[in-house]
Structure formats: structure tokens, C-alpha cells
Amino acid sequence: MKPTALTPDATSFADAMSASASLALLAERMRASNARFAAIRHRLPGALASQVRAGPLDDAGWSILAANPAVAAKLRHLVPQIQSDLRDAGLPVPLVRVKVAV
């Protein structure tokens, strides 16, 4: 079978996100997490940057996800500088957590 055009009652992703308060909050937190990662990316040396990604942002703080325990250990040493970079960018968080992505 050949694919057909979208059905008229299909809801776009953007419409679904804006129609649901919980999905809109999730989208905002994802945007805010990515903004924080962009603000600290310069802090991550070349090879390290490719091993790190933005994680969840919640009321308690922000998580940075590391590819493995060695990367996480290095990131934990950078947390004070990361927090300073976030404050300088006007994006403070109460706590920066480093977690190993599974």
C-alpha cells in the first residue's frame, strides 16, 4: 500500500503540546534544559562535549547526563564552574546533578 495523505482529524505534535498543560510544561522544561546546556557547552573540553547531554530539569535542579562513569567523574569536578556559568547566563538552578545515562 502506498502512504496516503494525513487524515483530516490528525493532530499535529505542536497542537497536542499546546493543548495539554502537562505536555506544554514538559516542552518548556526541555527547552530550558537545552538552554542551560548551551550556556555551559563551552566549559566542556572537545572530546568530553560529545559524551555529555542535557538531562531533566525539575524544581529541585538540573541533571547533566554523562555517557559513562569516567565522564561523570570529570563533570563532577566542573560543577562549581558550571553553576557559575549558569548564574552568569541568568539561568540559575538550585542544584546541578551529574548522572550516568543508561
Side-chain angles (χ1 to χ4, degrees), residues 81-101:
Q81 293 91 350
I82 288 170
Q83 288 176 312
S84 177
D85 290 342
L86 292 172
R87 278 191 304 275
D88 292 348
L91 302 167
V93 292
L95 175 65
V96 174
R97 300 175 295 249
V98 176
K99 297 183 176 184
V100 177

Side-chain angles (χ1 to χ4, degrees), residues 23-45:
L23 289 178
L25 176 61
L26 175 62
E28 172 56 26
R29 287 190 176 191
M30 288 171 51
R31 186 207 58 74
S33 176
N34 288 331
R36 281 161 177 76
F37 189 72
I40 62 115
R41 188 167 180 84
H42 74 279
R43 178 69 57 195
L44 307 173

Side-chain angles (χ1 to χ4, degrees), residues 11-19:
T11 302
S12 74
F13 181 74
D15 289 343
M17 294 294 280
S18 63

Side-chain angles (χ1 to χ4, degrees), residues 49-65:
S50 66
Q51 302 293 311
V52 179
R53 65 179 201 252
L57 175 69
D58 56 34
D59 294 335
W62 178 52
S63 295
I64 303 171
L65 303 177

